[in-house]
């Protein structure tokens, strides 16, 4: 990896870490299930960007394209399932408050 | 031709869903039975004609390539058996034909994902198959859209997504280091890599993600919730095989063929394993719910597998692989029994049961076999694998871990016996006078699993020489 690529990698890493922090903050602070989903999306976006940069700096742009498209498809599946679960929880509880998810413990 | 194990079920599902309407839907059950039987038979005989020949045209067309070794055979065998059992239980616990059809589709998709995980050769395919398995199991947990199940599913999805994100970060780091996602390229690149910080970071993040997926102790919060709220056949599938393949099997695979085993990682594994054993066993002692107790017991047993693997010696890894198989069998048997009890009594609260053995003799008897195997009473299968793990720990000089492993066996006996006494033994509880034995298919499933436990235990040398011992060839490579 030459000097220019290394600098690109470091610059992007900075923003990716910021995105990670934003995502984790969003998940940890909020009590709203939809906001948890948004936080999760932020994290996935961060990791997607990281993969793009990783493939670019290692000179594997074609490989990167294949990986990213697969990643986006898998991510959509997961978020769709999660949205379905959140919707069903809303139908049961009539609220999106995460504090009401306390039936299972012990 | 290993790719056929992925492509055949996939094609089958497409045909079942697109064409011919109701008659095809009714045959879905038999299609799945045949599929799992084929997988079991291929894994038992593991003839090289099937496994090492490649169908060039098919493989090139779909651009897939898989590789097999002896750990994969053990995993494929367990996947086949547990999926078949889950299917048998689902046949009588899901009445509606439409629902059952959906269940069978999801079950086959989950088993495609797991078969993929055990055969992959590069990290990105590993991620894809992990995600296929996970997506199918999310939907399966929330299958009836009951309140508790939704809560369990939500927790599982959230933690599993975070685990996935951690693994993808590690994959990106590995691609920066090696420039290619295949196992062999990454392994050789890691061997001559200079930036040790990035390697450590990648390995650490990857393994932590897998710990979350496998429900090991500092990361186990989702596991009891998901297991105890899931419908009965799904709980069998999850506890029997899903978390084991996506968690513990993948840890073994990446440590052996991706990162290479190191002593420091071995120490981490042994510590996490011992912690899981103790926390799981103590938490199981205090449970009232049948399935929840079994879930904690599952954490504890997975700890044994990791403890054996963490020794890094050949005999320890052989013990871990053997316990992987045995645990898949006896834990599914216990969950089948919980399904039978839930089916007849209508609850899983153990305080409301008692004396069921007089009404449900087969369920009671097979449950005794499973619990004796779980706590390692000879000559059942669980005894041999625990013995091998404990011997490996002793031989590699870890006296404290050996004592923990032996002591936790006693704890296992304690909580499982208390389960057995509260549920099956003693006086028949009030209001349970007209309980009947579970449905024939559940009984068949539990008899099959109990027979496997006893036979593997009695014919231990046969099993060990043909399936477990060849694993050591992989380690020498």
């Amino acid at each position: 990896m030459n000097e220019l690529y290394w600098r690109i990698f470091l610059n992007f890493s900075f923003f990716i870490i910021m995105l990670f922090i934003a995502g984790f903050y969003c998940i940890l602070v909020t009590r709203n299930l939809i906001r948890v989903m948004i936080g999760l999306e932020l994290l996935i976006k961060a990791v997607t960007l990281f993969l793009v940069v990783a493939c670019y700096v290692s000179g594997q742009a074609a490989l990167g394209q294949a990986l990213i498209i697969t990643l986006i498809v898998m991510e959509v599946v997961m978020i769709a399932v999660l949205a379905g679960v959140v919707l069903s929880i809303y139908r049961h509880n009539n609220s999106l408050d995460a504090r009401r998810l306390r039936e299972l413990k012990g | 031709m290993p790719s056929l194990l992925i492509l055949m079920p996939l094609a089958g599902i497409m045909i079942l869903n697109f064409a011919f309407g109701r008659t095809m839907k009714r045959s879905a059950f038999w299609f799945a039975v045949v599929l799992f039987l084929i997988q079991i038979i291929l894994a038992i005989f593991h003839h090289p004609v099937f496994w090492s020949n490649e169908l060039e045209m098919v493989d090139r067309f779909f651009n897939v390539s898989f590789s097999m070794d002896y750990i994969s055979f053990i995993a494929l065998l367990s996947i086949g058996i547990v999926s078949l059992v889950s299917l048998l239980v689902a046949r009588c616990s899901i009445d509606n034909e439409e629902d059952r059809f959906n269940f069978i589709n999801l079950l086959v998709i989950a088993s495609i994902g797991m078969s993929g995980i055990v055969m992959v050769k590069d990290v990105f395919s590993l991620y894809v198959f992990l995600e296929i398995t996970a997506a199918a199991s999310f939907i399966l947990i929330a299958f009836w859209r009951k309140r508790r199940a939704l809560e369990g599913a939500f927790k599982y999805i959230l933690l599993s997504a975070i685990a996935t994100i951690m693994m993808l970060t590690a994959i990106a780091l590995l691609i920066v280091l090696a420039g290619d996602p295949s196992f062999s390229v990454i392994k050789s690149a890691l061997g001559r890599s200079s930036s040790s910080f990035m390697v450590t970071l990648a390995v650490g993040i990857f393994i932590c993600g897998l710990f979350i997926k496998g429900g090991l102790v500092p990361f186990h919060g989702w596991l009891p919730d998901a297991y105890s709220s899931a419908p009965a056949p799904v709980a069998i599938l999850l506890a029997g095989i899903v978390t084991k393949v996506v968690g513990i099997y993948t840890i073994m695979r990446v440590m052996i063929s991706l990162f290479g085993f190191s002593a420091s990682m071995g120490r981490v594994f042994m510590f996490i394993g011992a912690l899981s054993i103790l926390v799981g066993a103590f938490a199981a002692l205090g449970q009232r719910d049948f399935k929840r107790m079994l879930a904690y017991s599952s954490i504890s047993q997975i700890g044994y597998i990791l403890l054996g693997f963490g020794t890094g010696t050949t005999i320890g890894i052989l013990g871990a692989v053997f316990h992987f198989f045995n645990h898949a069998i006896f834990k599914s048997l216990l969950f089948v029994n919980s399904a039978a009890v839930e089916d007849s009594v209508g609850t899983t609260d153990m305080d409301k049961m008692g004396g069921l053995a007089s009404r449900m003799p087969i369920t009671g008897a097979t449950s005794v076999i499973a619990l004796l195997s779980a706590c390692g009473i000879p000559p059942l299968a669980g005894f041999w694998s625990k013995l091998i793990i404990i011997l490996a720990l002793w031989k590699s000089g870890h006296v404290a871990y050996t004592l923990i492993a032996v002591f936790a066996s006693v704890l296992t006996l304690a909580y499982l016996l208390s389960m057995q006494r509260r549920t099956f033994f003693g006086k028949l509880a009030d209001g349970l006078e007209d309980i009947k034995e579970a449905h024939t298919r559940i009984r068949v499933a539990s008899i099959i699993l109990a027979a496997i436990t006893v036979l593997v235990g009695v014919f231990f040398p046969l099993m060990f020489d043909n399936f477990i011992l060849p694993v050591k060839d992989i380690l020498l490579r």
Side-chain angles (χ1 to χ4, degrees), chain B residues 28-34 36 82-92 103-104 107-108 233 441:
Chain B
F29 175 76
W30 293 109
F31 162 72
V33 167
V34 169
F36 295 137
V82 177
S83 307
L84 190 60
V85 165
S86 165
L87 193 65
L88 285 175
V89 174
R91 174 80 176 180
C92 46
F103 176 86
I104 291 170
L107 178 68
V108 173
R441 288 201 186 80

Side-chain angles (χ1 to χ4, degrees), chain B residues 102-122:
Chain B
N102 291 340
F103 176 86
I104 291 170
N105 276 326
L106 288 166
L107 178 68
V108 173
I109 292 173
S111 85
I112 291 173
M114 287 185 285
S115 309
I117 291 170
V118 302
M119 299 193 296
V120 289
K121 282 202 293 201
D122 65 289

Side-chain angles (χ1 to χ4, degrees), chain A:
Chain A
M1 208 189 302
N2 67 28
E3 190 65 24
L4 175 67
Y5 278 164
W6 186 242
R7 208 178 308 143
I8 292 173
F9 182 66
L10 286 184
N11 285 346
F12 269 97
S13 298
F14 177 71
F15 285 105
I16 289 159
I17 289 170
M18 298 296 280
L19 263 180
F20 265 117
I21 292 172
F24 272 115
Y25 181 76
C26 183
I27 290 178
L28 291 176
V29 167
T30 184
R31 304 270 184 220
N32 186 315
L33 297 181
I34 300 282
R35 291 200 186 132
V36 172
M37 271 173 65
I38 293 172
L40 215 53
E41 276 287 283
L42 270 181
L43 287 177
I44 296 173
K45 291 299 169 292
V47 86
T48 312
L49 186 58
F50 193 33
L51 264 175
V52 172
V53 177
C55 290
Y56 177 70
V57 299
S58 56
Q60 298 268 359
L63 173 75
Q65 285 181 8
L67 299 193
I68 302 301
I69 289 173
T70 321
L71 171 59
I72 289 171
V73 172
M74 297 309 299
E75 173 221 323
V76 167
V77 170
M78 200 202 67
I79 288 294
V81 174
L82 183 56
V85 168
V86 169
L87 191 66
S88 305
I89 289 176
Y90 180 73
R91 286 198 186 134
H92 277 283
N93 287 355
N94 269 325
S95 92
L96 287 169
D97 196 337
R99 279 168 292 191
R100 295 188 60 175
L101 294 181
R102 281 195 182 158
E103 227 170 276
L104 299 164
K105 53 184 154 189

Side-chain angles (χ1 to χ4, degrees), chain B residues 260-288:
Chain B
F261 201 90
S262 67
S264 54
M265 282 314 289
R267 278 198 293 279
V268 173
F269 287 153
M270 286 170 80
F271 179 72
I272 298 279
L275 200 64
S276 302
I277 291 175
L278 288 178
V279 173
F282 279 117
L285 274 174
Q287 297 302 322
R288 287 178 57 188

Side-chain angles (χ1 to χ4, degrees), chain B residues 248-471:
Chain B
I248 206 87
Y249 175 87
T250 318
I251 290 176
M252 291 193 200
R253 170 62 64 207
V254 296
M255 286 318 286
I256 291 172
S257 40
L258 184 59
F259 299 135
F261 201 90
S262 67
S264 54
M265 282 314 289
R267 278 198 293 279
V268 173
F269 287 153
M270 286 170 80
F271 179 72
I272 298 279
L275 200 64
S276 302
I277 291 175
L278 288 178
V279 173
F282 279 117
L285 274 174
Q287 297 302 322
R288 287 178 57 188
D289 187 295
F290 200 149
K291 280 155 104 179
R292 214 172 167 81
M293 168 178 279
L294 295 182
Y296 278 111
S297 154
S298 204
I299 296 175
S300 165
Q301 299 299 322
I302 283 181
Y304 271 101
I305 304 176
L306 200 63
L307 193 60
F309 182 68
T311 56
T313 55
T314 311
I315 184 167
I317 294 173
L318 295 185
V321 173
F322 196 20
H323 203 60
F324 176 93
F325 175 75
N326 286 339
H327 181 226
I329 302 298
F330 67 67
K331 192 44 62 72
S332 343
L333 177 49
L334 283 169
F335 268 98
V336 169
N337 290 334
S338 86
V341 170
E342 196 179 355
D343 203 37
S344 311
V345 183
T347 173
T348 50
D349 189 341
M350 285 192 285
D351 289 354
K352 294 186 185 138
M353 302 176 200
L356 288 177
S358 58
R359 303 282 155 164
M360 309 170 76
I362 292 177
T363 311
T366 50
S367 169
V368 171
I369 293 177
L371 84 88
L372 291 181
S373 178
C375 36
I377 306 291
L380 297 167
F383 165 72
W384 298 106
S385 51
K386 274 197 179 175
L387 182 71
I388 296 170
I389 289 174
I390 290 171
L391 278 179
L393 285 167
W394 184 259
K395 274 182 81 174
S396 56
H398 299 282
V399 181
Y401 288 133
T402 315
L403 290 179
I404 288 177
V406 175
F407 169 66
S409 250
V410 182
L411 277 181
T412 313
L413 189 62
Y415 64 74
L416 285 176
L417 272 182
S418 107
M419 177 276 287
Q420 185 75 14
R421 189 182 56 79
R422 281 194 274 174
T423 317
F424 292 110
F425 293 163
K427 212 161 86 296
L428 198 63
D430 297 334
L432 299 181
E433 284 79 16
D434 46 352
I435 291 291
K436 287 197 191 68
E437 176 64 289
H439 197 281
T440 321
R441 288 201 186 80
I442 298 187
R443 270 182 289 170
V444 167
S446 55
I447 290 172
I448 291 173
L449 289 173
I452 294 174
T453 312
V454 174
L455 289 178
V456 168
V458 173
F459 296 105
F460 159 73
L462 205 66
M463 171 80 185
F464 195 76
D465 289 349
N466 287 327
F467 288 93
I468 312 295
L469 217 49
V471 170

Side-chain angles (χ1 to χ4, degrees), chain B residues 197-268:
Chain B
F197 171 71
M198 259 173 53
V199 175
T200 318
L201 191 68
V203 175
I205 296 175
F206 206 108
I207 296 294
C208 272
L210 291 176
F211 281 164
I212 296 180
K213 289 237 174 202
L216 286 147
V217 149
F219 314 104
H220 68 292
W222 60 270
L223 191 144
D225 294 354
Y227 282 14
S228 61
S229 64
V234 182
I236 295 167
L237 188 74
L238 275 178
I241 198 76
V242 169
T243 40
K244 255 192 293 310
V245 168
V246 301
I248 206 87
Y249 175 87
T250 318
I251 290 176
M252 291 193 200
R253 170 62 64 207
V254 296
M255 286 318 286
I256 291 172
S257 40
L258 184 59
F259 299 135
F261 201 90
S262 67
S264 54
M265 282 314 289
R267 278 198 293 279
V268 173

